[in-house]
Amino acid sequence: VITDNVGSAASGGGVALFAAGYPVVTSNVIARNSTDGGAGCGWGGGVAIANFVEAKIVNNLIVHNSPCYGGAFYWYGSSGNTLLVNNTIADNETRNLQCGRRCLVQQNLITTSENGQGALASAGSMVLGNVVAANTSYGLSCLSGPCSFGANILVGNNNGGPHVSGSFTEVSPNA
Protein backbone atom coordinates (compact mmCIF):
# COMPACT_ATOMS: atom_id res chain seq x y z
CA VAL A 1 0.00 0.00 0.00
CA ILE A 2 1.47 3.33 -1.14
CA THR A 3 -0.66 6.14 0.31
CA ASP A 4 -0.66 9.72 1.57
CA ASN A 5 2.76 10.75 0.24
CA VAL A 6 3.87 14.10 -1.21
CA GLY A 7 6.39 14.02 -4.07
CA SER A 8 9.10 16.60 -3.63
CA ALA A 9 10.64 18.51 -6.55
CA ALA A 10 7.17 18.47 -8.13
CA SER A 11 7.09 14.81 -9.16
CA GLY A 12 6.11 11.29 -8.25
CA GLY A 13 3.85 11.46 -5.21
CA GLY A 14 3.43 7.69 -4.82
CA VAL A 15 6.11 6.10 -6.99
CA ALA A 16 8.95 7.98 -8.72
CA LEU A 17 10.91 6.06 -11.37
CA PHE A 18 13.77 8.17 -12.74
CA ALA A 19 16.40 6.36 -14.82
CA ALA A 20 15.18 3.23 -13.02
CA GLY A 21 15.91 0.68 -15.77
CA TYR A 22 13.37 -2.17 -15.84
CA PRO A 23 11.15 -1.92 -12.73
CA VAL A 24 7.97 -3.93 -12.18
CA VAL A 25 5.20 -2.29 -10.12
CA THR A 26 2.50 -4.86 -9.44
CA SER A 27 -0.46 -5.50 -7.15
CA ASN A 28 -0.33 -2.23 -5.19
CA VAL A 29 -2.85 0.26 -3.92
CA ILE A 30 -1.45 3.68 -4.90
CA ALA A 31 -3.81 6.23 -3.36
CA ARG A 32 -4.14 9.80 -2.05
CA ASN A 33 -0.64 10.87 -3.13
CA SER A 34 0.16 14.39 -4.35
CA THR A 35 3.03 16.50 -5.62
CA ASP A 36 4.49 19.77 -4.43
CA GLY A 37 7.01 22.02 -6.11
CA GLY A 38 8.08 25.57 -6.82
CA ALA A 39 4.93 26.21 -8.88
CA GLY A 40 2.75 24.69 -6.19
CA CYS A 41 2.14 21.41 -8.00
CA GLY A 42 3.79 18.86 -10.22
CA TRP A 43 3.30 15.70 -12.24
CA GLY A 44 2.61 12.04 -11.57
CA GLY A 45 0.54 12.00 -8.39
CA GLY A 46 0.39 8.20 -8.37
CA VAL A 47 3.37 7.23 -10.57
CA ALA A 48 5.94 9.42 -12.37
CA ILE A 49 8.42 8.08 -14.94
CA ALA A 50 11.28 9.97 -16.63
CA ASN A 51 14.62 9.30 -18.30
CA PHE A 52 15.43 5.70 -19.24
CA VAL A 53 12.73 3.43 -17.85
CA GLU A 54 11.04 0.34 -19.30
CA ALA A 55 8.48 -0.17 -16.55
CA LYS A 56 5.76 -2.76 -16.25
CA ILE A 57 2.84 -1.37 -14.23
CA VAL A 58 0.43 -4.31 -13.75
CA ASN A 59 -2.64 -5.10 -11.59
CA ASN A 60 -2.61 -1.94 -9.46
CA LEU A 61 -5.39 0.18 -7.99
CA ILE A 62 -4.38 3.82 -8.63
CA VAL A 63 -6.94 6.21 -7.10
CA HIS A 64 -7.45 9.69 -5.59
CA ASN A 65 -4.03 11.13 -6.54
CA SER A 66 -3.59 14.86 -7.19
CA PRO A 67 -0.85 16.66 -9.13
CA CYS A 68 -1.20 19.27 -11.91
CA TYR A 69 -0.45 16.74 -14.70
CA GLY A 70 -1.05 13.00 -14.88
CA GLY A 71 -3.18 12.29 -11.81
CA ALA A 72 -2.57 8.55 -11.69
CA PHE A 73 0.35 8.27 -14.07
CA TYR A 74 2.72 10.65 -15.88
CA TRP A 75 5.35 9.35 -18.25
CA TYR A 76 7.57 11.73 -20.20
CA GLY A 77 10.92 11.80 -21.90
CA SER A 78 11.77 8.16 -21.36
CA SER A 79 13.43 6.22 -24.14
CA GLY A 80 12.09 2.85 -23.01
CA ASN A 81 8.82 1.02 -23.69
CA THR A 82 6.42 1.20 -20.76
CA LEU A 83 3.48 -1.18 -20.22
CA LEU A 84 0.33 -0.38 -18.22
CA VAL A 85 -1.81 -3.51 -18.11
CA ASN A 86 -4.89 -4.51 -16.12
CA ASN A 87 -4.90 -1.55 -13.70
CA THR A 88 -7.87 0.28 -12.22
CA ILE A 89 -7.20 4.01 -12.60
CA ALA A 90 -9.99 6.09 -11.04
CA ASP A 91 -10.94 9.33 -9.31
CA ASN A 92 -7.66 11.14 -9.90
CA GLU A 93 -7.42 14.89 -10.34
CA THR A 94 -6.32 16.20 -13.76
CA ARG A 95 -5.78 13.65 -16.53
CA ASN A 96 -5.95 10.12 -15.18
CA LEU A 97 -3.14 8.99 -17.43
CA GLN A 98 -0.57 10.90 -19.49
CA CYS A 99 1.80 8.83 -21.66
CA GLY A 100 4.88 9.90 -23.56
CA ARG A 101 6.42 7.97 -26.43
CA ARG A 102 6.08 4.18 -26.77
CA CYS A 103 3.61 3.46 -24.02
CA LEU A 104 1.29 0.42 -24.23
CA VAL A 105 -1.93 0.97 -22.26
CA GLN A 106 -3.97 -2.23 -22.40
CA GLN A 107 -6.97 -3.73 -20.59
CA ASN A 108 -7.27 -1.05 -17.90
CA LEU A 109 -10.33 0.58 -16.34
CA ILE A 110 -9.76 4.36 -16.66
CA THR A 111 -12.59 6.30 -15.07
CA THR A 112 -13.78 9.51 -13.41
CA SER A 113 -10.87 11.87 -13.95
CA GLU A 114 -11.94 14.94 -11.98
CA ASN A 115 -10.47 17.51 -14.37
CA GLY A 116 -9.37 16.13 -17.72
CA GLN A 117 -9.08 13.28 -20.17
CA GLY A 118 -9.14 9.63 -19.32
CA ALA A 119 -5.90 9.03 -21.23
CA LEU A 120 -3.60 11.35 -23.18
CA ALA A 121 -1.10 9.52 -25.40
CA SER A 122 1.82 10.78 -27.50
CA ALA A 123 3.84 9.53 -30.47
CA GLY A 124 4.22 5.78 -30.71
CA SER A 125 1.80 4.93 -27.90
CA MET A 126 -0.88 2.27 -28.21
CA VAL A 127 -4.13 2.35 -26.21
CA LEU A 128 -5.91 -0.98 -26.66
CA GLY A 129 -8.82 -2.81 -25.04
CA ASN A 130 -9.49 -0.40 -22.17
CA VAL A 131 -12.75 0.74 -20.61
CA VAL A 132 -12.64 4.55 -20.49
CA ALA A 133 -15.68 6.04 -18.76
CA ALA A 134 -17.07 9.13 -17.03
CA ASN A 135 -14.08 11.45 -17.45
CA THR A 136 -14.66 15.22 -17.41
CA SER A 137 -13.07 15.74 -20.84
CA TYR A 138 -12.30 13.43 -23.79
CA GLY A 139 -12.05 9.72 -23.11
CA LEU A 140 -8.88 9.33 -25.18
CA SER A 141 -6.62 11.99 -26.69
CA CYS A 142 -3.69 11.65 -29.05
CA LEU A 143 -1.26 14.57 -28.96
CA SER A 144 1.50 14.92 -31.56
CA GLY A 145 0.93 11.36 -32.83
CA PRO A 146 1.06 8.93 -34.41
CA CYS A 147 -0.83 6.96 -31.77
CA SER A 148 -2.79 3.73 -32.09
CA PHE A 149 -6.22 3.25 -30.52
CA GLY A 150 -8.31 0.11 -30.75
CA ALA A 151 -10.98 -2.05 -29.11
CA ASN A 152 -11.54 0.51 -26.32
CA ILE A 153 -14.98 1.01 -24.78
CA LEU A 154 -15.68 4.73 -24.39
CA VAL A 155 -18.73 5.58 -22.24
CA GLY A 156 -20.02 8.83 -20.74
CA ASN A 157 -16.95 11.02 -21.21
CA ASN A 158 -18.06 14.67 -21.22
CA ASN A 159 -16.42 15.67 -24.53
CA GLY A 160 -16.70 12.21 -26.08
CA GLY A 161 -13.61 10.68 -27.56
CA PRO A 162 -11.25 9.98 -29.08
CA HIS A 163 -9.77 13.44 -29.71
CA VAL A 164 -6.80 13.68 -32.07
CA SER A 165 -4.26 16.47 -32.48
CA GLY A 166 -1.73 14.85 -34.81
CA SER A 167 -2.37 11.45 -36.36
CA PHE A 168 -3.59 8.11 -35.12
CA THR A 169 -4.15 4.62 -36.42
CA GLU A 170 -7.32 2.79 -35.47
CA VAL A 171 -6.14 -0.77 -34.82
CA SER A 172 -9.70 -2.05 -34.48
CA PRO A 173 -12.91 -0.10 -33.93
CA ASN A 174 -13.46 1.68 -30.63
CA ALA A 175 -16.96 1.12 -29.24
Side-chain angles (χ1 to χ4, degrees):
V1 176
I2 302 168
T3 60
D4 301 311
N5 298 292
V6 177
S8 62
S11 60
V15 177
L17 302 172
F18 303 116
Y22 304 90
V24 176
V25 179
T26 187
S27 302
N28 294 286
V29 174
I30 302 171
R32 298 184 315 272
N33 300 292
S34 62
T35 59
D36 187 20
C41 62
W43 44 276
V47 179
I49 294 179
N51 301 322
F52 182 81
V53 177
E54 285 195 14
K56 294 180 181 172
I57 315 290
V58 181
N59 294 327
N60 297 284
L61 175 62
I62 307 173
V63 296
H64 300 293
N65 297 290
S66 59
C68 284
Y69 305 100
F73 179 81
Y74 186 92
W75 180 83
Y76 187 76
S78 184
S79 59
N81 297 311
T82 293
L83 306 174
L84 280 90
V85 178
N86 201 33
N87 297 286
T88 297
I89 300 168
D91 297 319
N92 295 286
E93 290 184 24
T94 71
R95 297 176 184 111
N96 266 321
L97 174 69
Q98 188 163 342
C99 269
R101 298 168 299 160
R102 295 186 309 211
C103 189
L104 172 62
V105 180
Q106 188 169 23
Q107 297 175 337
N108 297 283
L109 171 61
I110 304 169
T111 187
T112 56
S113 167
E114 295 175 17
N115 188 20
Q117 296 101 334
L120 173 65
S122 293
S125 292
M126 297 185 357
V127 182
L128 307 170
N130 300 282
V131 175
V132 183
N135 294 287
T136 59
S137 186
Y138 298 100
L140 300 174
S141 292
C142 177
L143 180 64
S144 65
C147 303
S148 299
F149 294 157
N152 296 291
I153 298 171
L154 305 171
V155 179
N157 298 294
N158 284 352
N159 290 336
H163 172 258
V164 177
S165 172
S167 63
F168 86 103
T169 302
E170 189 168 53
V171 177
S172 62
N174 293 296

